[in-house]
Amino acid sequence: VAKTQSLGVFVYTCAVDGHSPQRLALFGDLRRALDLGELELHYQPQISTATGALVGVEALVRWQHPARGLVFPDEFIPMAEHTGVIGPLTRYVLGAALAQARRWLDARQALLVSVNLSARNLLDESLPGQVADLLAVHGVPAELLQLEVTESAIMIEPARAQRVLTALAGLGVRLSIDDFGAGYTSLSQLKTLPVSELKIDRSFVLTMATSPSDALIVRSIVDLGHNLGLSIVAEGVETAAALATLTGFGCDTAQGYLLSRPVPAGAFDLWRAERQLL
Ligand code: C2E
Ligand code: CA
Ligand code: CA
Ligand code: CA
């Protein structure tokens, strides 16, 4: 299936994979969905491998579609990118995540909240100003917000991405390189980016147990990151064995189905209360 490059190519892709009417309807609905508040965030915990303490959450967007039920981001983020809705969508997600961070603060919980940025967001030089405004509106300290960006998103226009990321870091917001190991960040570039965390791509974490070379890659990323003064988080932690391996490698933080699937804020609060991670 062709990669989406323009609206025309996208529509063609939909037509050949047999989902044309539904996908096209979805696409027309997305802007309206934003206005109607049909997008919601689910939260997935991140825990310290050393202590088991809860250190933060990743906010993951879902679309509560009136006819189709829960729609996952892989189905609509690409559309949002190719139709320009991604700007407003990211603003919405940031606002919702910061409102939740504020509710947790009011309950005496200082949780680091990670939000995903799209490639297009990194080309938008107005983003740092928007983030500053949203932090002020919601009264959340910048250090409690982390933004996840992928290597491939940075590589589209590295100079501009670097400017946007530097401005964001200047606010005190933390930056994480998502899906690390799956792309092509050069080591020299990694050194110049104002990043505080590497997030090891889940493809390596999922296959660590059966692939010695993937286990070696994971261990190497942990060592590389630590040598650069970065914190390392592994996603896709599905088994106790994977968690034990990561702990042995010195990986700082773990995230995955073993701990919890992404769930709405209410379910997350129950999960936390039950696990007594307070
Ligand atoms: P991602 O940033 O790599 O997010 C991690 C994905 O892995 C999530 O899928 C999560 O539910 C899933 N996951 C978590 N733990 C495990 C595990 O133990 N095993 C496996 N196999 N998977 C696990 P999700 O929520 O469907 O999100 C898919 C992608 O959509 C994300 O990948 C991210 O690139 C994008 N996305 C999600 N929310 C947003 C958003 O608010 N804005 C933007 N721009 N992109 C988003
Ligand atoms: Ca992510
Ligand atoms: Ca990821
Ligand atoms: Ca991804």
Side-chain angles (χ1 to χ4, degrees), residues 158-183:
R160 184 151 29 148
Q162 177 122 19
R163 275 201 303 280
V164 171
L165 292 174
T166 302
L168 286 166
L171 300 172
V173 169
R174 297 205 225 180
L175 301 174
S176 174
I177 306 284
D178 202 356
D179 303 344
F180 189 78

Side-chain angles (χ1 to χ4, degrees), residues 44 58 61-62 73-74 116 118 178-179 202 236 238 256-257 262:
Q44 187 174 35
E58 180 176 9
V61 70
R62 276 91 180 87
D74 286 337
N116 293 281
S118 276
D178 202 356
D179 303 344
R202 66 179 178 276
E238 294 187 350
Y257 295 163

Side-chain angles (χ1 to χ4, degrees), residues 148-234:
E148 299 192 2
V149 300
T150 63
E151 301 169 80
S152 50
I154 294 169
M155 293 316 291
I156 291 174
E157 224 183 286
R160 184 151 29 148
Q162 177 122 19
R163 275 201 303 280
V164 171
L165 292 174
T166 302
L168 286 166
L171 300 172
V173 169
R174 297 205 225 180
L175 301 174
S176 174
I177 306 284
D178 202 356
D179 303 344
F180 189 78
Y184 302 94
T185 313
S186 74
L187 295 183
S188 59
Q189 191 183 16
L190 192 58
K191 223 176 56 182
T192 65
L193 287 169
V195 163
S196 46
E197 178 185 274
L198 299 182
K199 189 169 211 179
I200 305 173
D201 190 62
R202 66 179 178 276
S203 61
F204 301 115
V205 178
L206 288 169
T207 51
M208 250 180 354
T210 50
S211 161
S213 63
D214 281 359
L216 192 62
I217 288 171
V218 168
R219 204 177 70 190
S220 304
I221 293 174
V222 172
D223 291 344
L224 166 75
H226 282 166
N227 287 334
L228 292 170
L230 305 176
S231 169
I232 316 296
V233 54

